[in-house]
Amino acid sequence: MPIYMPPPAVRTNSIAMHSIGNHLQQRVLQLAHYGQPTIDIELDESQHETSRFVTSYSTMDTIQGKVHITVQHDTRFREIEISFTGAAHVFVERLSTTPSMSGRTEASHKFLTLKMPLSPADLPSPPIFRAGKKYSFPFVFTIPNQLLPKACPHPVASDFVRETHLMLPPSLGDAELSGYGGILLDDMAPEMANISYGIKARVTAFHEGENRVFLMGQKTRKVRVKPAFEEQPPLNTDGNKEYRARLERNIKKSLFKGRSGTLIAQASQPKPLVIPGARTADAKPIATRAKVILRFDPAEENSLPPKLGSLKTHMKVSTFYASAPRNNFPSREGLSYDHTQGAYTDTIPISTMCIGTSAQWEKQPASANPPTDEELDRRDSGISDCSSLSSPSGTFNTPRSSANYKGGAFYTASIIVPIHLPQNKHFIPTFHSCLISRVYALSMNLSVHAPGLSDPTLGLKVPLQVCAEGSATGNENARLRSEEAAGVLAEADMIFSPRSVAPPPDYVGLSSGSGGVQSRVSVMG
């Protein structure tokens, strides 16, 4: 089949029209940017060890540098604004069977804005940028250790929730910033949640002949922030369906016979994982350990505990996000009826241990049972502190008996579970903000060998906290600030302390008879 070819004249006109279209497009872009200044933001990283990507800053670190501005022709400006900002951005996809109920809700929260005051000596006078000249404006910002109360103005369930929301959140959800030691790593955040920091420069001017202000140009340079997070009190999991710190399982003698006893597995929240501070060169392993305590209540005196199999450990990384401010800590239970919230979970394998030989059963007498709740209530709180007895593990590091326990001897065993964070992921501290939260949980699945169709498995899930140290320079700045504040308070106390105003010791005042009377006045202020 012959192919149609346009005449040479038509082809020439088509090429000419395409060339003219490209030229007009370039001219339109030039006119759109005509008069806009070129803004460059330079960070002074000489005080820090720079990585191949982005330098990290921690609490009380100092960020300093310069903003460079150049123009192609003389341009009058109104104001130059340099600020350090922090903002959270969230969107939630709402999917339902009814099209009218589906859609997306979005929210943005600018929780931090620090403005750099510029000296009049740094600004050109008159306020005109000369063509071809480079103008430089220095800036210095100190990352605060907490936010101002106005950053969380919405109602909350308690003061503790408010204090948690006012802690500086870490950078989250930016693939260009996430990493450790100069390597970009996945921080396991969904695209629906993002927390970003940056140095922002804006230049404004007046419309010619008018009193209206317009934006001449602006630019933002991203900055990664890794705040210090101290250890928080252990999470209370009572009534929380997301966690399972204790589990009981009946063990049968065989497939068709009765029960040989009840196996109990119990764990508590381990000590937190501590992430090194920003710009830390020492890449030491981040580790902690958990403890699983086992108890077997035999149904008969001669019943023996089952043989232990393996223990598989996983870490569940959950990121909660919402398009409306939350008044309490998030939970999966609330996601079912609140369409403004969402959650994303990533599971990371930690270890698989064969505990058949490492954990041994020990027979315990009936006297080794921890006190019951009734026994604790009968004790005198004035002479006995029972706070430790009420913990899940009990005073004797032994779980409470099962409902099937009939008295007599029982068996116990303990398992130490090492937890090492993998180095192929970027972990951030546990935090809660108005819109975004990051929490961690430790899942431990214990299998035992018992007669029957399959080996029973007991699954435990406990909270796991991740903390973060401050940087060396940030800690030093915080120490100097603390000493300076202590000195100011001492001077204030001296101003308001009473002073004694009295005559010299050899001074003799007005006398009556043979004795002298000396006056002493106490002056406040």
Side-chain angles (χ1 to χ4, degrees), residues 159-229:
D159 292 338
F160 180 68
V161 176
R162 177 87 64 193
E163 293 175 2
T164 308
H165 284 188
L166 293 179
M167 298 177 66
L168 199 69
S171 298
L172 175 75
D174 193 333
E176 298 178 0
L177 303 180
S178 174
Y180 175 73
I183 302 175
L184 291 179
L185 299 173
D186 179 20
D187 63 359
M188 297 163 288
E191 62 177 349
M192 292 78 76
N194 177 273
I195 297 177
S196 59
Y197 293 86
I199 305 296
K200 186 176 183 179
R202 300 175 72 251
V203 181
T204 59
F206 286 110
H207 281 282
E208 187 175 355
E210 301 180 12
N211 209 14
R212 294 185 297 114
V213 178
F214 72 98
L215 179 65
M216 291 179 58
Q218 67 177 3
K219 187 173 183 180
T220 301
R221 176 162 179 174
K222 297 178 182 178
V223 174
R224 180 168 61 186
V225 175
K226 301 174 65 176
F229 276 83

Side-chain angles (χ1 to χ4, degrees), residues 373-433:
D373 293 336
E374 295 179 357
E375 293 174 342
L376 292 176
D377 293 338
R378 288 196 298 266
R379 295 189 179 185
D380 186 0
S381 61
I383 60 175
S384 176
D385 183 9
C386 301
S387 59
S388 61
L389 301 179
S390 61
S391 64
S393 59
T395 305
F396 304 99
N397 209 19
T398 302
R400 302 283 178 86
S401 60
S402 64
N404 299 322
Y405 179 64
K406 299 177 181 179
F410 59 94
Y411 297 86
T412 60
S414 61
I415 307 170
I416 302 299
V417 185
I419 304 169
H420 295 271
L421 285 186
Q423 299 183 355
N424 61 344
K425 298 288 185 180
H426 175 57
F427 291 86
I428 61 175
T430 304
F431 77 94
H432 298 279
S433 65

Side-chain angles (χ1 to χ4, degrees), residues 246-289:
R246 176 187 169 99
L247 188 62
E248 300 181 8
R249 182 65 56 85
N250 291 329
I251 305 298
K252 291 186 177 182
K253 295 180 181 180
S254 64
L255 182 60
F256 300 104
K257 292 186 178 182
R259 181 173 51 84
S260 66
T262 303
L263 179 63
I264 305 167
Q266 184 173 286
S268 58
Q269 181 174 338
K271 291 185 178 180
L273 294 158
V274 182
I275 301 174
R279 306 181 306 280
T280 301
D282 185 14
K284 59 182 180 180
I286 305 172
T288 185
R289 62 179 186 174

Side-chain angles (χ1 to χ4, degrees), residues 263 265 292 294 306-314 351-359 415-417 443-450 455-460:
L263 179 63
V292 178
L294 304 178
K307 294 182 179 180
L308 301 177
S310 62
L311 181 65
K312 295 183 179 181
T313 307
H314 295 80
S351 63
T352 300
M353 302 171 53
C354 181
I355 57 177
T357 57
S358 59
I415 307 170
I416 302 299
V417 185
S443 295
M444 295 172 286
N445 295 318
L446 170 68
S447 65
V448 296
H449 301 299
D455 293 334
T457 301
L458 290 83
L460 301 177

